[in-house]
Amino acid sequence: MSFVSLTAALFLAAAVSASQFDDIDLPFDYYSLSCPTMESIVHKKMEEWVKKDYSLAPALMRLHFHDCFVRGCDGSILLDHEGSEKSAKASKTLRGFEVIDDIKAELEKACPKTVSCADILTAAARDATVAVGGPFWMVPYGRKDGTVSTAKEADQLVPMGHELVTDLLEFFQSKGLNVLDLVVLSGAHTIGRTTCESLQYRLYNYNGTRKADSRLDHLYLNYLGRKCRWASEYVDLDAVTPKKFDVQYYKNLQKGMGLLLTDQLLYTDPRTAPIVTALAAQPDVFENLFAASMVKLGNIQDYLTIDGEVRLNCARVNTPNY
């Protein structure tokens, strides 16, 4: 497929995804009567927190991803008890829980027992994206908070950055997402950071060779070697424009500067590489597609509505007769 035809196909995919917004199960006006100030409260709080700590924006986006990938977008990642998703190995670097708690406390004052923690996290992820220069999209509401949260499920399901593209595609498809969603949502790595622990094997002993991954650009490899002497150190996912929501992430993949293996493999796999190439040259298309894919992500529901609740405290399930 030529670059022009692929770009046209991406525009068509964006249009199709946008048209799907009308068919989703959750309504956009869910809180229009019960809590009309819900979105303004979330937006104001997000602005306050991101102004104090810019890194909370990508952290909240990541928190939303982790939540939706396990049991759907039900706020189960927020539950804080022994053996919960929050205590999983896959969750040990997650941040932003205090932001959700702060927003929840404010919403309980304005609209008691009304807004679910799952909806708060979904809206916060959208406003976090906007805060760093990303696109705005309308968020449908009405999610319920789950009552089950286990570390075992999180460690089994959440991608950790070393999976093959086929594994990721199968996982995304199991959640109702497709190859385009995989490449587009991976673009969230245009901002944020990760620990060096997640990539040291690529630097020093890739596939047991005692050498670095040959796909890494040599100058970038030298930089990472100096930066990641300790596993606890942090490194930006996008080394060029780490605080800007843009298509530099895809340009980095073309140069062998994908930090995580799962990122770099997107440019070597024939199913995903053409999409990377097209998005690298089409920032407007990327933003439109990102908004569409985030709506799809936020609509993942692996639970029955009757099984959920609206938590009073995002870290704990409600007590009987609350």
Side-chain angles (χ1 to χ4, degrees):
M1 181 182 291
S2 69
F3 177 79
V4 173
S5 60
L6 178 58
T7 301
L10 290 178
F11 271 114
L12 177 60
V16 171
S17 295
S19 69
Q20 292 174 344
F21 291 2
D22 296 330
D23 300 324
I24 57 180
D25 296 327
L26 301 174
F28 292 106
D29 61 351
Y30 187 82
Y31 295 114
S32 61
L33 297 178
S34 60
C35 193
T37 59
M38 179 266 187
E39 285 207 320
S40 62
I41 289 173
V42 175
H43 180 71
K44 181 180 178 181
K45 283 293 184 180
M46 281 303 304
E47 280 193 328
E48 292 174 0
W49 280 96
V50 174
K51 185 176 181 179
K52 289 189 292 185
D53 183 355
Y54 182 94
S55 69
L56 282 170
L60 283 160
M61 293 169 65
R62 183 170 176 240
L63 194 60
H64 178 52
F65 275 68
H66 277 241
D67 184 42
C68 294
F69 281 158
V70 183
R71 291 184 170 266
C73 309
D74 67 343
S76 56
I77 188 62
L78 304 173
L79 289 173
D80 190 6
H81 58 75
E82 185 177 353
S84 69
E85 292 171 35
K86 186 177 179 180
S87 67
K89 181 179 179 181
S91 307
K92 69 178 183 178
T93 58
L94 291 179
R95 300 170 55 238
F97 296 96
E98 71 277 18
V99 179
I100 303 302
D101 290 339
D102 184 35
I103 296 172
K104 177 63 173 175
E106 194 70 19
L107 283 169
E108 283 300 308
K109 296 176 185 177
C111 319
K113 302 181 180 181
T114 302
V115 183
S116 69
C117 300
D119 276 347
I120 293 171
L121 179 53
T122 305
R126 187 270 311 277
D127 287 352
T129 305
V130 174
V132 293
F136 174 89
W137 62 89
M138 291 182 64
V139 175
Y141 295 112
R143 299 164 191 80
K144 297 300 182 183
D145 294 323
T147 57
V148 177
S149 179
T150 66
K152 182 178 180 180
E153 283 188 311
D155 285 331
Q156 288 176 340
L157 293 173
V158 176
M160 295 298 290
H162 51 70
E163 294 81 7
L164 299 177
V165 172
T166 295
D167 298 327
L168 291 174
L169 285 173
E170 290 177 352
F171 176 68
F172 268 59
Q173 288 167 357
S174 74
K175 300 298 179 181
L177 305 174
N178 57 36
V179 61
L180 184 59
D181 297 314
L182 169 61
V183 181
V184 169
L185 291 175
S186 295
H189 288 171
T190 183
I191 56 173
R193 59 184 187 169
T194 188
T195 60
C196 289
E197 180 183 8
S198 62
L199 64 123
Q200 281 188 325
Y201 75 102
R202 291 191 72 199
L203 308 181
Y204 306 115
N205 190 28
Y206 183 66
N207 281 348
T209 62
R210 297 187 180 182
K211 297 180 180 179
D213 183 352
S214 61
R215 284 169 291 225
L216 283 166
D217 172 80
H218 72 281
L219 292 178
Y220 188 45
L221 175 60
N222 289 338
Y223 163 76
L224 292 176
R226 295 192 302 272
K227 180 73 173 178
C228 288
R229 293 174 181 172
W230 303 102
S232 58
E233 289 291 326
Y234 281 89
V235 61
D236 292 321
L237 290 163
D238 175 355
V240 181
T241 57
K243 293 186 176 182
K244 186 177 180 182
F245 191 96
D246 55 19
V247 296
Q248 186 62 49
Y249 162 80
Y250 298 107
K251 295 179 180 179
N252 289 344
L253 301 188
Q254 294 174 313
K255 299 175 182 178
M257 294 176 61
L259 186 65
L260 301 179
L261 178 63
T262 48
D263 291 327
Q264 194 58 56
L265 290 179
L266 293 178
Y267 191 58
T268 59
D269 191 288
R271 295 166 292 184
T272 53
I275 302 175
V276 170
T277 299
L279 293 177
Q282 300 286 340
D284 291 339
V285 174
F286 167 56
E287 291 203 358
N288 289 334
L289 288 172
F290 189 82
S293 291
M294 285 295 284
V295 172
K296 290 177 66 177
L297 174 74
N299 284 333
I300 298 175
Q301 297 184 53
D302 294 346
Y303 60 95
L304 297 175
T305 302
I306 58 173
D307 293 335
E309 61 183 10
V310 175
R311 287 184 218 135
L312 297 183
N313 183 325
C314 291
R316 298 193 298 271
V317 297
N318 295 331
T319 56
N321 303 317
Y322 77 98

